[in-house]
Amino acid sequence: MQKTIEEFDDMSCTTAFDEIGTQFVGTLKYRTFEVGQIFGANLASVRAQFQAICDLVETGGMVRHGIVMTGYHNRAFKGDVLLVDGEVFGEWNSDEEEWCHFTAHGDSEITCSAPSPWLLHDSISDWLLSRNGTPPDKRQYGVK
C-alpha cells in the first residue's frame, strides 16, 4: 500500500488507500501525536482538507481528538468548533474569569465548560462521544 506524506510546520498527514479499497484515509499528526483522520474519494480531496486544517492552525487553531478549535493560539480565546472534515458544530469562548464554554449549534444554553481551552477540548470530545458513540477522531462523517 503506497503512502504519501504531506507536512506543514508541526502538522503532517500520512495518506493511504483504506484497507477495503473504498477511499483515501489521511492520518493527521501534530508532531508525533495522532490528532484525527480525514477521508476522501481521492488523494486531492484529502490534500485539500489537510491544507484547510493547516490554514486554521496557522491562524491560531488547535487540533486534537479530530476537533479544531479556532481562536486557541492567537489569544482570541473564542471561535468556531469544527470537525477536521470542516463541519462547524458549535462555538466556544472564555469569560472574564477565564473559564471556557462551548455551545453546540442549535442550543441556547452552554453545552459544557472547563477551566482552560485544553480541558474544554477534552470536554467537547467527551460530549461528542456521548452523542455519537464514536470518538470524533475516528468518525468518518459529521455530527449526528
Side-chain angles (χ1 to χ4, degrees):
M1 175 186 316
Q2 184 179 0
K3 293 183 178 184
T4 63
I5 300 174
E6 306 286 327
E7 294 180 344
F8 182 84
D9 290 337
D10 289 333
M11 293 285 300
S12 67
C13 180
T14 303
T15 306
F17 214 52
D18 70 2
E19 295 171 5
I20 57 174
T22 59
Q23 63 186 342
F24 285 87
V25 179
T27 301
L28 301 171
K29 287 187 177 180
Y30 176 77
R31 297 184 180 163
T32 60
F33 302 100
E34 188 175 324
V35 294
Q37 291 185 321
I38 50 180
F39 303 86
N42 54 52
L43 188 56
S45 68
V46 173
R47 284 182 172 153
Q49 289 177 71
F50 177 62
Q51 184 58 55
I53 292 164
C54 290
D55 291 347
L56 291 170
V57 169
E58 188 172 43
T59 59
M62 176 69 169
V63 184
R64 291 179 55 235
H65 307 301
I67 300 166
V68 180
M69 287 175 58
T70 65
Y72 195 106
H73 288 295
N74 63 1
R75 302 209 176 262
F77 297 116
K78 64 179 180 179
D80 290 327
V81 180
L82 56 146
L83 297 174
V84 291
D85 69 3
E87 179 183 355
V88 178
F89 64 93
E91 57 189 33
W92 76 284
N93 63 32
S94 179
D95 64 22
E96 61 279 347
E97 295 173 5
E98 298 183 8
W99 266 77
C100 299
H101 310 282
F102 165 72
T103 304
H105 280 184
D107 288 351
S108 58
E109 300 290 323
I110 292 171
T111 305
C112 55
S113 298
S116 71
W118 185 269
L119 293 174
L120 182 64
H121 218 139
D122 291 340
S123 295
I124 295 168
S125 178
D126 291 345
W127 172 78
L128 281 173
L129 177 60
S130 73
R131 284 189 62 153
N132 300 316
T134 305
D137 56 342
K138 303 297 181 200
R139 296 194 66 222
Q140 293 187 28
Y141 304 100
V143 177
K144 289 181 182 176

